[in-house]
Amino acid sequence: MRLYPLAVAVALLPQITINACYLWAASLGHVDWCIPYIHSCTSISATGRQLPENLLFTGLMIPAAVMLGAYWWGNVHWLRSLGCQRRRTLRLLLIMGVAGACALILYCVALGHIGSLYHLQRRIGVTTFFGTSFLGQLLLIHLLQHCSKLSAAARSSLALLQRSAVLILLVGLASVTIAAISDDYYHRTDDAFEWTFGLLLCLHFLITAKLWWQTDFRLSFRSDR
């Protein structure tokens, strides 16, 4: 069974969910109408904070988080199939990936609840998710560069993966720079950075799906009987 549809789902399901929830929340008057990637009118959390859109948000994002954990598990086995023998680094990649998936679940569970403890839980969840996911992507790129069985076509996609990582890094650095220069301007733009950062992370997953397809990565089942 070819596994690239899993990576496609990991890339597309979160984006479909947050954008659908935004449209639903805006139609109900729970958030303002705008282009959140540009106008920074609302956070991702706000699109799934109130009922009934909260049910759609948690109902789709928690399964997406489970698939994200499976995606990182798949990456470890994929890298091994490509000749990567760095066991400790592969173990670290899996730990970071699973940590990011668990953090996303933690964030979803706390969404919609009121109180400082739930706010802290959401902040820890979303920060850990973004941080470990990006670090995992950097580590994935590093390991792919040392895979002996990567074809020329796949290496072309690897270059695209590297460019997307640079773009994510630039967005993160821009956000940090704005926060250092003007706290007021940062609070007026931080939501747009969050939307953009999430979109670029999902783009990275989509490029990985292309690599899984190019290398014909498959899951097989075997019985001794």
Side-chain angles (χ1 to χ4, degrees):
M1 180 177 68
R2 302 189 73 176
L3 279 190
Y4 75 88
L6 171 64
V8 172
V10 168
L12 297 184
L13 184 56
Q15 284 301 307
I16 292 172
T17 300
I18 62 176
N19 284 281
C21 285
Y22 166 73
L23 293 174
W24 196 1
S27 69
L28 295 173
H30 295 164
V31 297
D32 295 330
W33 283 107
C34 72
I35 303 176
Y37 298 92
I38 300 174
H39 301 138
S40 195
C41 65
T42 185
S43 66
I44 293 176
S45 298
T47 67
R49 189 171 293 151
Q50 300 186 57
L51 291 172
E53 58 268 24
N54 173 264
L55 298 176
L56 178 63
F57 193 100
T58 56
L60 292 180
M61 287 300 287
I62 291 178
V66 174
M67 287 191 291
L68 179 64
Y71 161 83
W72 287 112
W73 172 85
N75 270 319
V76 170
H77 288 272
W78 175 54
L79 289 165
R80 285 174 178 166
S81 72
L82 293 175
C84 180
Q85 301 298 326
R86 303 189 176 192
R87 294 184 179 180
R88 291 183 179 179
T89 312
L90 288 170
R91 190 179 300 115
L92 178 61
L93 177 67
L94 181 59
I95 290 171
M96 287 195 297
V98 171
C102 291
L104 184 56
I105 294 175
L106 178 70
Y107 162 79
C108 291
V109 169
L111 193 62
H113 295 281
I114 300 173
S116 57
L117 180 61
Y118 290 111
H119 175 75
L120 177 62
Q121 185 176 329
R122 289 194 300 270
R123 182 49 52 190
I124 291 174
V126 72
T127 302
T128 303
F129 164 69
F130 280 134
T132 56
S133 295
F134 180 58
L135 290 175
Q137 290 176 345
L138 292 179
L139 190 55
L140 175 64
I141 291 172
H142 170 72
L143 290 170
L144 280 171
Q145 291 172 333
H146 296 87
C147 288
S148 58
K149 299 179 182 179
L150 208 60
S151 65
R155 290 194 180 276
S156 177
S157 296
L158 173 58
L160 191 59
L161 206 63
Q162 293 168 327
R163 294 188 192 102
S164 71
V166 171
L167 189 56
I168 294 172
L169 180 60
L170 291 175
V171 169
L173 290 175
S175 177
V176 171
T177 302
I178 290 174
I181 294 174
S182 173
D183 187 64
D184 178 65
Y185 188 68
Y186 171 74
H187 286 295
R188 287 189 281 119
T189 59
D190 63 330
D191 289 334
F193 277 111
E194 183 182 59
W195 282 84
T196 303
F197 199 85
L199 177 63
L200 292 175
L201 281 179
C202 290
L203 175 62
H204 192 106
F205 297 144
L206 196 59
I207 299 171
T208 307
K210 181 182 178 182
L211 278 161
W212 283 14
W213 174 76
Q214 288 177 320
T215 54
D216 196 28
F217 179 44
R218 295 174 181 265
L219 176 67
S220 61
F221 299 94
R222 186 180 64 184
S223 175
D224 293 332
R225 295 184 178 180

